[in-house]
Amino acid sequence: MLAKIASGATVGLNATLIEVEVDIPDEGLPSFTIVGLPDKAVEEAKERVRSAIKNTGADFPSTRITVNLAPADLPKVGPSYDLPIALGILIASGQIKPEVSDSLFFGELSLDGSLRHTNGILPMTYLAREKGFQKVIVPKLNEKEAAVVPGVKVYPIENLLELVRFFMGTIEITPSKKISFRTLLTQSEAEFDFSEVIGQEHAKRALEIAASGNHNIFLKGTPGSGKTMLARALPGILPRLTEDEALEVTKIYSITGNLLSGQAVVTTRPFRSPHHTTSRIGLIGGGSNPSPGEISLAHRGVLFLDEFPEFPRHVLESLRQPIEDGVVSISRAKGSVTYPASFLLVSASNPCPCGYFGDAKRACKCFPGQIQRYQKRVSGPIMDRIDLHVDVPSVETQKLVEEKKGKVETSHEVQKRVQKARDLQTKRFKKTKLKSNSEMSTRDVKSFCPLSPECRTMLLSAASSMNLTARSYFKVIKVARTVADLDASKEISVNHIAEALQYRPQEDDY
């Protein structure tokens, strides 16, 4: 007898329909074969399914079993086909006769028949809706993740026995209540509050601009000046995720297994801080079966690279295309996938190996050649892709012991201004795919950022004296647009251009 069960596979961030065909003839020597380009995890499903069916109390057929995962030319990865394979065997062997043409099944089985938390449920549920399935059967541990998708009934199942009884009509399973994205989204929490950062007003202002327009920022200063503290305070002032952004981020975390058990969606902007020993694949993504790296896990959030020059040069150079395009394309022999990678890059560095070059109190112990080699570890093209370059000087000891006088702004107060500026950008770009000022192309800058003759004159003078590249020229305009948004100004003024120019490095700073 032949049974056909609908399931799915993730390709990049999207899912594609997989038909699980199970054939059990009336004769033949006992065997269990899975075809259709299965990987090792799918091959091992034979043992998991066999034990799960027996421990459920059903009979495992003692004849030839052939399972085909179609289409056959698409690689099948992971243990998520356990449930449809087990159900197909029960149907093909005549033990149950359910109507499954309107349902999609997805889940990993334990040996006792219970369903484990399975990666990729969110894109699978969206696939079910797109393909017109009325029901989607998922592990109960993934219930909230699937319940955010409207237009399809989600049936959470604890074990295979419960599913069998449901199809036999002996028990009822109530579909999950729908969960609204909007009610779940919250403000990001930060390790530090802006009010805890002593001094560094210039750096705080730069971070406010970076958060408002999603601009990349480079912090350079002596050890202990507060670079890391500033970076870790940044999540507290970021604008809230929109529903579309939350969906993008949640899909990434769902397929990589970073979504916690019982968690519905990613509710705050991600903050990723990989160590400088991270490999290129770990940062960019890849592998034999391509998976997202740190830059994709930081999508719509912050990627903090501390000790920036300590990262291997080839790792940093691989950031060029993702920073520019907001996506990363990974090509392997088995195929190509594209992952989103629109992140706010925060990089921090000492000025030299010992860290005290240019410090007013401590003398630098490095030779000139050492300093030059250290600073050249990060190439000019990478530095040119960073919008804001900020010097973070050491804090005077007197300020550390003095009590704070006057009102000190908290992260919450700064975040309100950032949110208003981002709301202006959302309104400005509502007819485009742009989310923030930093994503504007050259054409978009000319369209959305008209300049007065005074502003244009100042920019041309600065471009000549500071040796600005064409990319830097347009980045200054983007930053100026964000500064204007923070001032709630419709037009970019000379003051906005002047402030934006403060954050561009001189040629000899590369």
Side-chain angles (χ1 to χ4, degrees):
M1 184 176 176
L2 178 66
K4 294 184 178 181
I5 309 294
S7 187
T10 55
V11 180
L13 286 190
N14 299 314
T16 185
L17 190 64
I18 299 295
E19 189 173 54
V20 180
E21 301 175 324
V22 181
D23 180 49
I24 303 179
D26 295 331
E27 56 184 20
L29 295 175
S31 66
F32 193 168
T33 306
I34 300 178
V35 297
L37 286 184
D39 74 340
K40 186 65 175 176
V42 180
E43 282 284 351
E44 291 174 347
K46 291 185 281 190
E47 301 306 321
R48 291 192 297 271
V49 168
R50 188 193 307 272
S51 296
I53 289 177
K54 288 182 177 180
N55 289 324
T56 298
D59 295 325
F60 189 82
S62 57
T63 183
R64 182 165 59 88
I65 302 173
T66 304
V67 177
N68 179 40
L69 307 177
D73 60 341
L74 181 70
K76 316 303 186 303
V77 180
S80 58
Y81 304 102
D82 292 1
L83 181 61
I85 290 174
L87 182 62
I89 290 174
L90 293 175
I91 295 174
S93 61
Q95 299 183 62
I96 57 175
K97 297 180 179 180
E99 175 55 49
V100 295
S101 61
D102 62 345
S103 303
L104 187 142
F105 300 83
F106 198 75
E108 176 187 351
L109 286 170
S110 294
L111 297 183
D112 62 356
S114 60
L115 283 166
R116 302 173 62 87
H117 183 274
T118 308
N119 299 341
I121 291 294
L122 184 63
M124 286 303 133
T125 311
Y126 271 98
L127 173 69
R129 188 183 71 173
E130 292 168 6
K131 297 298 182 181
F133 290 99
Q134 297 178 9
K135 306 173 186 176
V136 58
I137 313 298
V138 301
K140 191 172 181 62
L141 293 174
N142 295 98
E143 177 183 5
K144 291 183 179 180
E145 182 182 347
V148 300
V149 181
V152 61
K153 292 182 179 180
V154 175
Y155 289 84
I157 304 295
E158 291 189 0
N159 52 59
L160 183 60
L161 178 59
E162 184 179 12
L163 181 61
V164 171
R165 288 176 175 175
F166 172 64
F167 281 135
M168 293 178 69
T170 59
I171 64 170
E172 288 288 334
I173 299 178
T174 304
S176 303
K177 292 182 179 180
K178 291 303 171 185
I179 300 174
S180 171
F181 260 100
R182 189 181 298 275
T183 60
L184 298 175
L185 302 181
T186 60
Q187 176 56 38
S188 301
E189 294 184 2
E191 188 175 345
F192 301 101
D193 192 275
F194 259 40
S195 61
E196 298 178 85
V197 181
I198 299 174
Q200 309 298 7
E201 299 303 325
H202 180 62
K204 287 191 210 177
R205 171 62 176 177
L207 286 173
E208 181 180 344
I209 295 171
S212 300
N214 204 51
H215 299 290
N216 299 323
I217 184 170
F218 176 63
L219 304 173
K220 183 172 72 173
T222 57
S225 59
K227 302 184 297 297
T228 302
M229 187 177 186
L230 284 164
R232 294 193 178 278
L234 179 60
I237 67 169
L238 294 174
R240 291 173 179 264
L241 279 171
T242 65
E243 291 187 43
D244 290 342
E245 290 173 335
L247 174 59
E248 292 175 0
V249 176
T250 303
K251 278 187 175 181
I252 297 171
Y253 277 65
S254 177
I255 65 174
T256 57
N258 285 284
L259 201 62
L260 301 178
S261 179
Q263 183 180 6
V265 296
V266 176
T267 59
T268 61
R269 294 189 181 273
F271 182 89
R272 306 293 298 186
S273 180
H275 192 260
H276 60 77
T277 56
T278 301
S279 67
R280 187 184 63 82
I281 290 178
L283 187 66
I284 301 299
S288 56
N289 293 308
S291 60
E294 289 289 337
I295 63 172
S296 293
L297 293 172
H299 181 60
R300 301 301 178 192
V302 176
L303 178 68
F304 176 43
L305 301 183
D306 203 1
E307 306 298 340
F308 202 42
E310 299 297 338
F311 282 81
R313 189 180 181 91
H314 74 279
V315 173
L316 293 182
E317 291 303 307
S318 63
L319 287 172
R320 286 196 195 183
Q321 181 257 336
I323 290 176
E324 201 73 11
D325 299 338
V327 296
V328 57
S329 298
I330 303 169
S331 297
R332 295 292 184 268
K334 294 182 180 180
S336 299
V337 294
T338 299
Y339 294 114
S342 180
F343 54 87
L344 194 168
L345 173 64
V346 179
S347 52
S349 168
N350 295 324
C352 66
C354 78
Y356 295 101
F357 177 66
D359 188 64
K361 294 183 178 180
R362 300 188 63 172
C364 175
K365 300 178 182 179
C366 304
F367 294 108
Q370 289 179 297
I371 298 173
Q372 187 177 26
R373 285 193 297 273
Y374 183 80
Q375 294 179 346
K376 292 298 181 183
R377 287 182 182 178
V378 183
S379 68
I382 291 292
M383 297 297 283
D384 197 43
R385 283 169 165 80
I386 297 177
D387 307 46
L388 307 170
H389 296 251
V390 183
D391 287 324
V392 185
S394 57
V395 182
E396 295 180 5
T397 308
Q398 188 65 26
K399 288 185 177 181
L400 296 174
V401 298
E402 286 180 352
E403 292 187 5
K404 297 177 182 178
K405 297 180 181 180
K407 184 179 179 181
V408 180
E409 279 195 318
T410 63
S411 293
H412 179 66
E413 293 170 321
V414 177
Q415 196 274 337
K416 287 182 178 179
R417 292 199 299 269
V418 170
Q419 187 66 57
K420 287 181 180 179
R422 188 62 70 89
D423 290 342
L424 288 174
Q425 294 166 49
T426 301
K427 184 177 180 181
R428 179 183 303 127
F429 303 132
K430 64 180 179 180
K431 295 183 179 180
T432 71
K433 294 182 179 181
L434 302 175
K435 301 290 185 181
S436 61
N437 288 334
S438 66
E439 297 178 22
M440 287 190 290
S441 65
T442 302
R443 180 182 299 177
D444 295 325
V445 170
K446 293 178 179 178
S447 175
F448 294 108
C449 304
L451 298 177
S452 65
E454 295 81 5
C455 291
R456 197 176 300 277
T457 300
M458 173 179 279
L459 261 177
L460 290 175
S461 176
S464 176
S465 61
M466 299 173 67
N467 293 321
L468 297 181
T469 64
R471 181 188 288 114
S472 297
Y473 176 86
F474 286 104
K475 282 190 176 295
V476 169
I477 300 177
K478 294 178 190 179
V479 173
R481 179 64 267 176
T482 301
V483 176
D485 288 339
L486 285 168
D487 287 346
S489 173
K490 292 183 179 180
E491 305 295 333
I492 298 175
S493 70
V494 171
N495 291 336
H496 301 145
I497 294 290
E499 183 172 359
L501 286 169
Q502 293 179 18
Y503 302 111
R504 292 311 304 173
Q506 299 294 328
E507 184 182 13
D508 55 2
D509 288 339
Y510 284 155

